[in-house]
Amino acid sequence: MKPLYKYSLLAAGIIISFKLAVFFTKSQLSTFGIYSGLLSLSLLFFPVWLAIRDKKAIQGGYISLRQAVKAGLGIAIVSGILVALFTILYFQFIDHDTVKMVQEKNREFMINEKKSESDIVQAEENIRNFYSPFNQGFGVFTCVFISGLILSII
């Protein structure tokens, strides 16, 4: 298997594993659930580093910054697409609870802040739009791409 695909699958597997761990432990709104995305993105360092290390070994121990960034971006793009597709499927078919939980928490907060019913309804619609499968998939792709770019430059 080509290193690009091998390390992209590893990177996507890390992120998807965290997402599923949060879902199966029902901890979407816990501290772990909230920060698991950042933790999984920081763990992208390992697949990116492995890809750059392999590219360097293939080229006899030397790699330019441009080649390193290219290797890291390849991992970021492929794994970003895989994670985005998973996220779309995840919010479409697997996790229907997160949106309801966020809306419920937000409703309680807005009632305590004495907001009008129209404000509450508008906020619920905004939450539903934010958590739409496509928006979440696009957001995840963007985060993985930017993280891969930053990690490959480092």
PDB file of all heavy atoms in Angstrom, residues 79-105:
ATOM      1  N   SER A  79      -7.094  12.074   4.249  1.00  0.00           N
ATOM      2  CA  SER A  79      -7.743  11.764   5.520  1.00  0.00           C
ATOM      3  C   SER A  79      -8.901  12.721   5.786  1.00  0.00           C
ATOM      4  O   SER A  79      -9.921  12.325   6.345  1.00  0.00           O
ATOM      5  CB  SER A  79      -6.750  11.777   6.681  1.00  0.00           C
ATOM      6  OG  SER A  79      -6.186  13.047   6.853  1.00  0.00           O
ATOM      7  N   GLY A  80      -8.766  13.984   5.365  1.00  0.00           N
ATOM      8  CA  GLY A  80      -9.861  14.947   5.520  1.00  0.00           C
ATOM      9  C   GLY A  80     -11.099  14.524   4.755  1.00  0.00           C
ATOM     10  O   GLY A  80     -12.227  14.638   5.258  1.00  0.00           O
ATOM     11  N   ILE A  81     -10.907  14.022   3.543  1.00  0.00           N
ATOM     12  CA  ILE A  81     -12.052  13.545   2.749  1.00  0.00           C
ATOM     13  C   ILE A  81     -12.692  12.339   3.430  1.00  0.00           C
ATOM     14  O   ILE A  81     -13.928  12.262   3.538  1.00  0.00           O
ATOM     15  CB  ILE A  81     -11.612  13.207   1.302  1.00  0.00           C
ATOM     16  CG1 ILE A  81     -11.265  14.497   0.549  1.00  0.00           C
ATOM     17  CG2 ILE A  81     -12.689  12.421   0.563  1.00  0.00           C
ATOM     18  CD1 ILE A  81     -10.580  14.276  -0.787  1.00  0.00           C
ATOM     19  N   LEU A  82     -11.872  11.409   3.897  1.00  0.00           N
ATOM     20  CA  LEU A  82     -12.416  10.217   4.567  1.00  0.00           C
ATOM     21  C   LEU A  82     -13.188  10.587   5.830  1.00  0.00           C
ATOM     22  O   LEU A  82     -14.295  10.082   6.068  1.00  0.00           O
ATOM     23  CB  LEU A  82     -11.286   9.244   4.917  1.00  0.00           C
ATOM     24  CG  LEU A  82     -10.572   8.584   3.749  1.00  0.00           C
ATOM     25  CD1 LEU A  82      -9.345   7.809   4.238  1.00  0.00           C
ATOM     26  CD2 LEU A  82     -11.515   7.683   2.986  1.00  0.00           C
ATOM     27  N   VAL A  83     -12.633  11.471   6.632  1.00  0.00           N
ATOM     28  CA  VAL A  83     -13.293  11.878   7.878  1.00  0.00           C
ATOM     29  C   VAL A  83     -14.546  12.696   7.571  1.00  0.00           C
ATOM     30  O   VAL A  83     -15.566  12.562   8.258  1.00  0.00           O
ATOM     31  CB  VAL A  83     -12.321  12.639   8.801  1.00  0.00           C
ATOM     32  CG1 VAL A  83     -13.037  13.182  10.015  1.00  0.00           C
ATOM     33  CG2 VAL A  83     -11.182  11.733   9.236  1.00  0.00           C
ATOM     34  N   ALA A  84     -14.499  13.529   6.545  1.00  0.00           N
ATOM     35  CA  ALA A  84     -15.686  14.307   6.169  1.00  0.00           C
ATOM     36  C   ALA A  84     -16.823  13.382   5.736  1.00  0.00           C
ATOM     37  O   ALA A  84     -17.977  13.573   6.151  1.00  0.00           O
ATOM     38  CB  ALA A  84     -15.343  15.287   5.050  1.00  0.00           C
ATOM     39  N   LEU A  85     -16.504  12.378   4.931  1.00  0.00           N
ATOM     40  CA  LEU A  85     -17.545  11.420   4.518  1.00  0.00           C
ATOM     41  C   LEU A  85     -18.102  10.675   5.725  1.00  0.00           C
ATOM     42  O   LEU A  85     -19.318  10.491   5.842  1.00  0.00           O
ATOM     43  CB  LEU A  85     -16.980  10.437   3.491  1.00  0.00           C
ATOM     44  CG  LEU A  85     -16.655  11.030   2.127  1.00  0.00           C
ATOM     45  CD1 LEU A  85     -15.953   9.999   1.250  1.00  0.00           C
ATOM     46  CD2 LEU A  85     -17.912  11.547   1.451  1.00  0.00           C
ATOM     47  N   PHE A  86     -17.220  10.254   6.632  1.00  0.00           N
ATOM     48  CA  PHE A  86     -17.686   9.593   7.850  1.00  0.00           C
ATOM     49  C   PHE A  86     -18.582  10.529   8.661  1.00  0.00           C
ATOM     50  O   PHE A  86     -19.632  10.115   9.159  1.00  0.00           O
ATOM     51  CB  PHE A  86     -16.510   9.132   8.718  1.00  0.00           C
ATOM     52  CG  PHE A  86     -16.958   8.701  10.085  1.00  0.00           C
ATOM     53  CD1 PHE A  86     -17.517   7.455  10.273  1.00  0.00           C
ATOM     54  CD2 PHE A  86     -16.848   9.563  11.174  1.00  0.00           C
ATOM     55  CE1 PHE A  86     -17.969   7.063  11.531  1.00  0.00           C
ATOM     56  CE2 PHE A  86     -17.286   9.182  12.422  1.00  0.00           C
ATOM     57  CZ  PHE A  86     -17.852   7.927  12.605  1.00  0.00           C
ATOM     58  N   THR A  87     -18.182  11.788   8.801  1.00  0.00           N
ATOM     59  CA  THR A  87     -18.944  12.747   9.602  1.00  0.00           C
ATOM     60  C   THR A  87     -20.330  12.980   9.020  1.00  0.00           C
ATOM     61  O   THR A  87     -21.317  13.063   9.762  1.00  0.00           O
ATOM     62  CB  THR A  87     -18.167  14.073   9.719  1.00  0.00           C
ATOM     63  OG1 THR A  87     -16.903  13.804  10.327  1.00  0.00           O
ATOM     64  CG2 THR A  87     -18.919  15.088  10.548  1.00  0.00           C
ATOM     65  N   ILE A  88     -20.415  13.072   7.700  1.00  0.00           N
ATOM     66  CA  ILE A  88     -21.727  13.235   7.064  1.00  0.00           C
ATOM     67  C   ILE A  88     -22.606  12.034   7.391  1.00  0.00           C
ATOM     68  O   ILE A  88     -23.763  12.189   7.791  1.00  0.00           O
ATOM     69  CB  ILE A  88     -21.574  13.435   5.544  1.00  0.00           C
ATOM     70  CG1 ILE A  88     -20.957  14.809   5.271  1.00  0.00           C
ATOM     71  CG2 ILE A  88     -22.917  13.284   4.829  1.00  0.00           C
ATOM     72  CD1 ILE A  88     -20.506  15.028   3.844  1.00  0.00           C
ATOM     73  N   LEU A  89     -22.067  10.836   7.237  1.00  0.00           N
ATOM     74  CA  LEU A  89     -22.831   9.629   7.568  1.00  0.00           C
ATOM     75  C   LEU A  89     -23.155   9.562   9.063  1.00  0.00           C
ATOM     76  O   LEU A  89     -24.254   9.157   9.450  1.00  0.00           O
ATOM     77  CB  LEU A  89     -22.064   8.381   7.133  1.00  0.00           C
ATOM     78  CG  LEU A  89     -21.849   8.224   5.634  1.00  0.00           C
ATOM     79  CD1 LEU A  89     -20.930   7.043   5.350  1.00  0.00           C
ATOM     80  CD2 LEU A  89     -23.171   8.072   4.915  1.00  0.00           C
ATOM     81  N   TYR A  90     -22.209   9.971   9.870  1.00  0.00           N
ATOM     82  CA  TYR A  90     -22.377   9.950  11.327  1.00  0.00           C
ATOM     83  C   TYR A  90     -23.563  10.819  11.754  1.00  0.00           C
ATOM     84  O   TYR A  90     -24.434  10.374  12.508  1.00  0.00           O
ATOM     85  CB  TYR A  90     -21.081  10.436  11.980  1.00  0.00           C
ATOM     86  CG  TYR A  90     -21.140  10.588  13.471  1.00  0.00           C
ATOM     87  CD1 TYR A  90     -20.969   9.491  14.305  1.00  0.00           C
ATOM     88  CD2 TYR A  90     -21.347  11.826  14.060  1.00  0.00           C
ATOM     89  CE1 TYR A  90     -21.003   9.627  15.685  1.00  0.00           C
ATOM     90  CE2 TYR A  90     -21.376  11.972  15.424  1.00  0.00           C
ATOM     91  CZ  TYR A  90     -21.212  10.873  16.232  1.00  0.00           C
ATOM     92  OH  TYR A  90     -21.249  11.010  17.594  1.00  0.00           O
ATOM     93  N   PHE A  91     -23.607  12.061  11.288  1.00  0.00           N
ATOM     94  CA  PHE A  91     -24.696  12.950  11.688  1.00  0.00           C
ATOM     95  C   PHE A  91     -26.000  12.636  10.957  1.00  0.00           C
ATOM     96  O   PHE A  91     -27.073  12.956  11.462  1.00  0.00           O
ATOM     97  CB  PHE A  91     -24.308  14.420  11.504  1.00  0.00           C
ATOM     98  CG  PHE A  91     -23.487  14.944  12.640  1.00  0.00           C
ATOM     99  CD1 PHE A  91     -22.121  15.065  12.536  1.00  0.00           C
ATOM    100  CD2 PHE A  91     -24.090  15.291  13.839  1.00  0.00           C
ATOM    101  CE1 PHE A  91     -21.363  15.530  13.593  1.00  0.00           C
ATOM    102  CE2 PHE A  91     -23.345  15.755  14.908  1.00  0.00           C
ATOM    103  CZ  PHE A  91     -21.980  15.873  14.784  1.00  0.00           C
ATOM    104  N   GLN A  92     -25.917  11.997   9.803  1.00  0.00           N
ATOM    105  CA  GLN A  92     -27.134  11.645   9.066  1.00  0.00           C
ATOM    106  C   GLN A  92     -27.813  10.401   9.647  1.00  0.00           C
ATOM    107  O   GLN A  92     -29.031  10.364   9.771  1.00  0.00           O
ATOM    108  CB  GLN A  92     -26.792  11.401   7.591  1.00  0.00           C
ATOM    109  CG  GLN A  92     -27.989  11.196   6.700  1.00  0.00           C
ATOM    110  CD  GLN A  92     -28.745  12.480   6.448  1.00  0.00           C
ATOM    111  OE1 GLN A  92     -28.150  13.549   6.362  1.00  0.00           O
ATOM    112  NE2 GLN A  92     -30.045  12.394   6.347  1.00  0.00           N
ATOM    113  N   PHE A  93     -27.003   9.392  10.037  1.00  0.00           N
ATOM    114  CA  PHE A  93     -27.587   8.104  10.390  1.00  0.00           C
ATOM    115  C   PHE A  93     -27.294   7.609  11.802  1.00  0.00           C
ATOM    116  O   PHE A  93     -28.016   6.772  12.319  1.00  0.00           O
ATOM    117  CB  PHE A  93     -27.101   7.025   9.402  1.00  0.00           C
ATOM    118  CG  PHE A  93     -27.476   7.325   7.985  1.00  0.00           C
ATOM    119  CD1 PHE A  93     -26.514   7.677   7.065  1.00  0.00           C
ATOM    120  CD2 PHE A  93     -28.800   7.271   7.575  1.00  0.00           C
ATOM    121  CE1 PHE A  93     -26.847   7.956   5.747  1.00  0.00           C
ATOM    122  CE2 PHE A  93     -29.152   7.548   6.268  1.00  0.00           C
ATOM    123  CZ  PHE A  93     -28.174   7.894   5.347  1.00  0.00           C
ATOM    124  N   ILE A  94     -26.216   8.074  12.436  1.00  0.00           N
ATOM    125  CA  ILE A  94     -25.813   7.490  13.711  1.00  0.00           C
ATOM    126  C   ILE A  94     -26.225   8.351  14.899  1.00  0.00           C
ATOM    127  O   ILE A  94     -26.933   7.889  15.789  1.00  0.00           O
ATOM    128  CB  ILE A  94     -24.281   7.245  13.740  1.00  0.00           C
ATOM    129  CG1 ILE A  94     -23.896   6.261  12.645  1.00  0.00           C
ATOM    130  CG2 ILE A  94     -23.832   6.740  15.102  1.00  0.00           C
ATOM    131  CD1 ILE A  94     -22.398   6.097  12.446  1.00  0.00           C
ATOM    132  N   ASP A  95     -25.758   9.584  14.931  1.00  0.00           N
ATOM    133  CA  ASP A  95     -25.942  10.435  16.121  1.00  0.00           C
ATOM    134  C   ASP A  95     -27.046  11.456  15.905  1.00  0.00           C
ATOM    135  O   ASP A  95     -26.850  12.480  15.267  1.00  0.00           O
ATOM    136  CB  ASP A  95     -24.630  11.142  16.464  1.00  0.00           C
ATOM    137  CG  ASP A  95     -24.702  11.893  17.780  1.00  0.00           C
ATOM    138  OD1 ASP A  95     -25.772  11.894  18.412  1.00  0.00           O
ATOM    139  OD2 ASP A  95     -23.686  12.470  18.174  1.00  0.00           O
ATOM    140  N   HIS A  96     -28.194  11.144  16.473  1.00  0.00           N
ATOM    141  CA  HIS A  96     -29.319  12.081  16.425  1.00  0.00           C
ATOM    142  C   HIS A  96     -29.491  12.773  17.776  1.00  0.00           C
ATOM    143  O   HIS A  96     -30.348  13.625  17.925  1.00  0.00           O
ATOM    144  CB  HIS A  96     -30.603  11.354  16.041  1.00  0.00           C
ATOM    145  CG  HIS A  96     -30.517  10.677  14.718  1.00  0.00           C
ATOM    146  ND1 HIS A  96     -30.551  11.362  13.526  1.00  0.00           N
ATOM    147  CD2 HIS A  96     -30.358   9.381  14.387  1.00  0.00           C
ATOM    148  CE1 HIS A  96     -30.440  10.515  12.522  1.00  0.00           C
ATOM    149  NE2 HIS A  96     -30.313   9.300  13.011  1.00  0.00           N
ATOM    150  N   ASP A  97     -28.688  12.398  18.764  1.00  0.00           N
ATOM    151  CA  ASP A  97     -28.840  12.914  20.119  1.00  0.00           C
ATOM    152  C   ASP A  97     -28.121  14.237  20.347  1.00  0.00           C
ATOM    153  O   ASP A  97     -28.582  15.062  21.129  1.00  0.00           O
ATOM    154  CB  ASP A  97     -28.325  11.891  21.143  1.00  0.00           C
ATOM    155  CG  ASP A  97     -29.100  10.591  21.097  1.00  0.00           C
ATOM    156  OD1 ASP A  97     -30.271  10.613  20.674  1.00  0.00           O
ATOM    157  OD2 ASP A  97     -28.532   9.558  21.485  1.00  0.00           O
ATOM    158  N   THR A  98     -26.991  14.447  19.710  1.00  0.00           N
ATOM    159  CA  THR A  98     -26.183  15.632  19.993  1.00  0.00           C
ATOM    160  C   THR A  98     -26.961  16.914  19.742  1.00  0.00           C
ATOM    161  O   THR A  98     -26.961  17.818  20.579  1.00  0.00           O
ATOM    162  CB  THR A  98     -24.878  15.629  19.169  1.00  0.00           C
ATOM    163  OG1 THR A  98     -24.122  14.476  19.527  1.00  0.00           O
ATOM    164  CG2 THR A  98     -24.053  16.867  19.420  1.00  0.00           C
ATOM    165  N   VAL A  99     -27.627  17.007  18.615  1.00  0.00           N
ATOM    166  CA  VAL A  99     -28.377  18.225  18.295  1.00  0.00           C
ATOM    167  C   VAL A  99     -29.449  18.470  19.352  1.00  0.00           C
ATOM    168  O   VAL A  99     -29.597  19.594  19.849  1.00  0.00           O
ATOM    169  CB  VAL A  99     -28.999  18.140  16.886  1.00  0.00           C
ATOM    170  CG1 VAL A  99     -29.873  19.350  16.607  1.00  0.00           C
ATOM    171  CG2 VAL A  99     -27.919  18.021  15.832  1.00  0.00           C
ATOM    172  N   LYS A 100     -30.164  17.425  19.728  1.00  0.00           N
ATOM    173  CA  LYS A 100     -31.221  17.571  20.740  1.00  0.00           C
ATOM    174  C   LYS A 100     -30.634  17.997  22.081  1.00  0.00           C
ATOM    175  O   LYS A 100     -31.206  18.850  22.772  1.00  0.00           O
ATOM    176  CB  LYS A 100     -31.988  16.260  20.888  1.00  0.00           C
ATOM    177  CG  LYS A 100     -32.812  15.903  19.669  1.00  0.00           C
ATOM    178  CD  LYS A 100     -33.430  14.533  19.808  1.00  0.00           C
ATOM    179  CE  LYS A 100     -34.051  14.111  18.489  1.00  0.00           C
ATOM    180  NZ  LYS A 100     -34.423  12.707  18.476  1.00  0.00           N
ATOM    181  N   MET A 101     -29.501  17.414  22.471  1.00  0.00           N
ATOM    182  CA  MET A 101     -28.882  17.766  23.747  1.00  0.00           C
ATOM    183  C   MET A 101     -28.412  19.221  23.746  1.00  0.00           C
ATOM    184  O   MET A 101     -28.605  19.945  24.726  1.00  0.00           O
ATOM    185  CB  MET A 101     -27.705  16.830  24.053  1.00  0.00           C
ATOM    186  CG  MET A 101     -28.122  15.431  24.422  1.00  0.00           C
ATOM    187  SD  MET A 101     -26.766  14.395  24.998  1.00  0.00           S
ATOM    188  CE  MET A 101     -25.805  14.179  23.522  1.00  0.00           C
ATOM    189  N   VAL A 102     -27.803  19.660  22.654  1.00  0.00           N
ATOM    190  CA  VAL A 102     -27.322  21.038  22.565  1.00  0.00           C
ATOM    191  C   VAL A 102     -28.510  22.000  22.579  1.00  0.00           C
ATOM    192  O   VAL A 102     -28.477  23.033  23.251  1.00  0.00           O
ATOM    193  CB  VAL A 102     -26.440  21.246  21.318  1.00  0.00           C
ATOM    194  CG1 VAL A 102     -26.113  22.710  21.106  1.00  0.00           C
ATOM    195  CG2 VAL A 102     -25.168  20.432  21.430  1.00  0.00           C
ATOM    196  N   GLN A 103     -29.556  21.667  21.853  1.00  0.00           N
ATOM    197  CA  GLN A 103     -30.736  22.528  21.825  1.00  0.00           C
ATOM    198  C   GLN A 103     -31.379  22.622  23.215  1.00  0.00           C
ATOM    199  O   GLN A 103     -31.798  23.700  23.644  1.00  0.00           O
ATOM    200  CB  GLN A 103     -31.758  22.004  20.815  1.00  0.00           C
ATOM    201  CG  GLN A 103     -31.375  22.278  19.392  1.00  0.00           C
ATOM    202  CD  GLN A 103     -32.352  21.687  18.400  1.00  0.00           C
ATOM    203  OE1 GLN A 103     -32.927  20.631  18.628  1.00  0.00           O
ATOM    204  NE2 GLN A 103     -32.534  22.370  17.287  1.00  0.00           N
ATOM    205  N   GLU A 104     -31.439  21.501  23.912  1.00  0.00           N
ATOM    206  CA  GLU A 104     -32.029  21.489  25.251  1.00  0.00           C
ATOM    207  C   GLU A 104     -31.216  22.354  26.218  1.00  0.00           C
ATOM    208  O   GLU A 104     -31.768  23.162  26.965  1.00  0.00           O
ATOM    209  CB  GLU A 104     -32.101  20.049  25.758  1.00  0.00           C
ATOM    210  CG  GLU A 104     -32.808  19.880  27.072  1.00  0.00           C
ATOM    211  CD  GLU A 104     -32.879  18.410  27.462  1.00  0.00           C
ATOM    212  OE1 GLU A 104     -33.453  17.622  26.689  1.00  0.00           O
ATOM    213  OE2 GLU A 104     -32.343  18.089  28.541  1.00  0.00           O
ATOM    214  N   LYS A 105     -29.893  22.184  26.205  1.00  0.00           N
ATOM    215  CA  LYS A 105     -29.021  23.003  27.066  1.00  0.00           C
ATOM    216  C   LYS A 105     -29.161  24.482  26.725  1.00  0.00           C
ATOM    217  O   LYS A 105     -29.219  25.334  27.612  1.00  0.00           O
ATOM    218  CB  LYS A 105     -27.568  22.577  26.910  1.00  0.00           C
ATOM    219  CG  LYS A 105     -27.184  21.391  27.706  1.00  0.00           C
ATOM    220  CD  LYS A 105     -26.012  21.810  28.581  1.00  0.00           C
ATOM    221  CE  LYS A 105     -25.457  20.596  29.267  1.00  0.00           C
ATOM    222  NZ  LYS A 105     -25.620  20.662  30.693  1.00  0.00           N
TER     223      LYS A 105
END
